[in-house]
Amino acid sequence: MIHVEGLTKYYGSHAAIRDLAFRIGRGEVIGFLGLNGAGKTTTLKILGCVLLPTSGRAIIDGYDVVSHPHEVRQRIGFLPDTPPLYDEMGVGEFLAFVARLRGVGSRDVFARVAEAEEKTGLCDVDDAPISSLSHGYRQRVGVAQALVHRPALLILDEPGSGLDPRQMVEMRALIRGLRGEHTVLVSSHLLSEISQTCDRLLVIKEGELVAQGTEEELSQRLGGGGFIEVEVRGERERVLAVLAGVGPVRVTGEAEGVVTLRVDAPVDLRPRVAQVVVSAGLELLRLDRGVEKLESLFLRLTHGGEGRAP
Ligand code: ATP
């Protein structure tokens, strides 16, 4: 769906992105991860035909963004970092306006707006003026305008920006719900925000791609990864024997018949840990995933000297 080669953009003498190369398959949900200023917005704007690259190529569904922007625009839906909303319009009215702009025939507009509102949880605010919406709802309208013409590819630039934790959970669920119908490229500066939503991650640092792969692949490559902390009531040797099959495990504490252990787990193995403990007849008291380790992996990728992506 996306094929990028040698993509470079200079602002004056400053290279915002340099020699980016990646491919994204049809139907994939991809996280584009980087600290502020890493070059995410610049890349997404080029893919969205909003900005011309200085050099290199970006092909979307077989069409070059520079030589065939019209064909590319018909195939994509773009949520920029600041959603393009008209405050004085109602939600449904705005989505119908956007649908017409994107070439949806008059007979289909009503159904497409209803479909977009359904997917983004906006049915209850169809009549509400956009100016009256909370930030979370405005972001949803931003996503709805991006998908109202049923594009094959959705490009979402930091859809989680400024959302509170509850709105963030809703946004993640919304993006997961798009899987299957669209290829999705979603940017963020927080790994935790997109790691559970995306099939694969592209990590960008100072304009260069420094890593790409699944969360598990990135963890293994850096020789680290997640871990699971587990508290079990039982005899130390027995608990260790039960958990040994799940992954490398060590005891980190023991008191009053309760053993605390850490299991190295680059991916989320909590269901497996729970299953083996309970089926061994042991009492499971606590089960936590060490997600801060994932953030520290991301920081190592984006701050440390990891070099270029293979
Ligand atoms: P953020 O999350 O803060 O938006 P980003 O990863 O999206 O960051 P970009 O906005 O693509 O990063 O910016 C990449 C680099 O290019 C930054 O150093 C930024 O200052 C610079 N830059 C972006 N837009 C322009 C512009 N119009 N003129 C000059 N420099 C720019």
Side-chain angles (χ1 to χ4, degrees), residues 9-12 14-17 32-45 51 81 157-158 187-189 204 206-207:
K9 174 72 184 178
Y10 275 89
Y11 293 111
H14 173 65
I17 55 168
F32 194 37
L33 204 58
L35 299 177
N36 289 340
K40 304 181 296 294
T41 296
T42 300
T43 309
L44 299 186
K45 276 184 173 167
L51 199 64
D81 48 359
D157 194 0
E158 305 232 14
S187 78
S188 176
H189 60 273
I204 185 172
E206 293 167 9

Side-chain angles (χ1 to χ4, degrees), residues 1 7 24 34 46 60 70 81 122 142 210 261 270-271 274 277 279 281:
M1 177 56 80
L7 201 65
I24 295 177
I46 294 173
I60 291 184
H70 183 67
D81 48 359
L122 288 171
V210 290
L261 308 102
R270 280 175 301 181
V277 171
S279 27

Side-chain angles (χ1 to χ4, degrees), residues 65-76:
V65 295
V66 176
S67 58
H68 291 82
H70 183 67
E71 286 78 0
V72 171
R73 284 196 190 100
Q74 285 176 333
R75 287 162 172 78
I76 63 169

Side-chain angles (χ1 to χ4, degrees), residues 104-277:
V104 174
S106 305
R107 274 186 306 161
D108 296 329
V109 168
F110 182 77
R112 294 293 178 83
V113 169
E115 183 182 290
E117 288 182 344
E118 172 76 35
K119 281 185 182 170
T120 52
L122 288 171
C123 300
D124 293 345
V125 292
D126 175 76
D127 279 340
I130 290 175
S131 58
S132 70
L133 299 180
S134 68
H135 180 66
Y137 270 87
R138 292 176 72 88
Q139 289 293 89
R140 290 191 204 190
V141 179
V143 177
Q145 67 77 29
L147 56 76
V148 72
H149 55 299
R150 288 189 184 160
L153 170 65
L154 276 172
I155 300 174
L156 310 176
D157 194 0
E158 305 232 14
S161 145
L163 298 185
D164 67 28
R166 184 180 54 84
Q167 292 169 332
M168 197 54 239
V169 168
E170 289 167 0
M171 181 58 77
R172 275 204 292 261
L174 195 168
I175 293 171
R176 272 198 292 273
L178 302 173
R179 182 184 299 277
E181 280 183 64
H182 308 269
T183 304
V184 183
L185 178 58
V186 52
S187 78
S188 176
H189 60 273
L190 291 173
L191 176 60
S192 54
E193 204 171 275
I194 53 176
S195 67
Q196 288 158 35
T197 317
C198 299
D199 305 321
R200 208 150 58 81
L201 301 168
L202 302 175
V203 186
I204 185 172
K205 173 192 170 188
E206 293 167 9
E208 297 190 17
L209 207 61
V210 290
Q212 52 181 313
T214 61
E215 192 186 300
E216 184 179 5
E217 286 163 356
L218 297 184
S219 298
Q220 282 170 356
R221 187 176 142 211
L222 287 177
F227 60 90
I228 289 168
E229 215 156 54
V230 50
E231 247 177 46
V232 181
R233 192 185 302 282
E235 196 250 319
R236 177 193 172 108
E237 295 314 318
R238 170 121 198 276
V239 176
L240 268 173
V242 163
L243 285 171
V246 178
V249 59
R250 67 191 162 88
V251 174
T252 55
E254 195 175 359
E256 297 171 8
V258 176
V259 192
T260 308
L261 308 102
R262 181 174 280 211
V263 184
D264 287 344
V267 286
D268 191 356
L269 290 177
R270 280 175 301 181
R272 172 107 180 91
V273 169
Q275 192 216 337
V276 298
V277 171

